[in-house]
Amino acid sequence: MKNLAATVFLLILSALPALAADQADACFKTLNDDKPEQAIMLADQLLAQQKKQRNVLICKGRAQLNLGQADAALATFAEAEPLASSPQENMVSAIFKGNAYKLAGRYLEAQASYEQALKLAVSEKNQKFQVITHTLAGEALELAGKLPQALRYYEDALSLAGNNNERAEANAHLARIYNTQGRYDEAIAHQLKAMVMQMSDGTFDEYADAALELGRMYTLAKDYVSAEKNLNRVIEKSRSVGDGYWVAKGYYILGLSYIASQQPEKAKSALHQSEEIAREIGAEKLAAEVNQQLKSLSQ
């Protein structure tokens, strides 16, 4: 979910108009340099000089979101909301407020904020924002456990998608819902579409992530032959482009598939390869996760 959320966030930013060259630029630059604490300090200095600066408040709220400060971000976005001067600025405010509600675990309030942004997107005939807000609303409903309602939002996002990147995202969301519901054939069909679209139009990371998820779904569907074939293909592609992380992750998911199909020796071999590569490239979190599986397998 983390990768999908990041992609949606990038879509939001790509749909925004260029910010006016004002005092907020320094805050946004600091935030984009991954220094949220400094961005907040700078925003507070600017707001002390002049309180009602919408862009500065948006920057501060985003920095608070990055630091996990949901309540503080909500208060900041609420302060920025009445300063919006166009429907698009209102859409952005509603989306960021929804993100803060989501971070706080207040998923239905998040969905209501995204719905507010969606209505503005429809009235403005802004297709890109309609795709974004349908996706975000669906994600909030999914987190709230309201899967049938989330499914409808993702289906609408897919019907509105204007390119393969957006279609891949929507298909991946649909696949995840169907997978959670145990509807594996439908999940696999949508995840396969997502993988193919990411292969043609996405980055290698996006393709590999989608392909490994497809392998995981084959495993859950007990189609172990397809899982092994798909995962080995990802491993070889990752090896051919010199991406050790996805080689290691591929062996890890393959090992889990062997565990599910009750092939412990093959599982140990795949997991050992995964751990060795993960440690070589410094992917310590992945290595620790794999090591835990090996320990469980040995018990």
Side-chain angles (χ1 to χ4, degrees), residues 18-170:
L19 291 168
D22 59 18
Q23 294 186 90
D25 288 350
C27 180
F28 281 109
K29 183 181 185 306
T30 304
L31 181 60
N32 291 336
D33 289 339
D34 197 24
K35 298 175 182 177
E37 296 94 342
Q38 292 183 30
I40 291 172
M41 290 175 60
L42 181 56
D44 284 338
Q45 292 171 11
L46 293 169
L47 292 168
Q49 298 169 16
Q50 183 182 341
K51 287 187 176 180
K52 295 185 178 182
Q53 297 187 70
R54 178 183 177 276
N55 287 345
V56 175
L57 288 165
I58 292 293
C59 179
K60 179 180 178 180
R62 280 182 53 199
Q64 289 165 329
L65 283 180
N66 287 3
L67 292 170
Q69 300 171 2
D71 291 340
L74 275 170
T76 301
F77 291 135
E79 193 176 347
E81 199 167 17
L83 303 177
S85 59
S86 70
Q88 184 152 303
E89 287 186 353
N90 278 314
M91 279 188 272
V92 172
S93 294
I95 287 171
F96 281 126
K97 189 168 70 172
N99 290 350
Y101 278 128
K102 185 167 65 177
L103 180 63
R106 297 160 64 177
Y107 303 126
L108 294 182
E109 289 167 284
Q111 190 272 333
S113 287
Y114 296 141
E115 185 68 34
Q116 177 187 351
L118 173 58
K119 289 177 180 176
L120 285 165
V122 170
S123 67
E124 290 295 302
K125 296 181 173 57
N126 189 320
Q127 186 171 339
K128 181 171 283 291
F129 264 97
Q130 287 179 55
V131 174
I132 290 166
T133 48
H134 272 106
T135 302
L136 289 169
E139 185 174 308
L141 287 165
E142 184 180 351
L143 288 167
K146 296 184 177 296
L147 301 188
Q149 295 94 318
L151 199 62
R152 288 196 291 271
Y153 277 94
Y154 293 148
E155 286 169 346
D156 287 343
L158 180 58
S159 69
L160 288 162
N163 56 59
N164 273 351
N165 296 116
E166 292 176 349
R167 292 184 193 98
E169 287 286 350

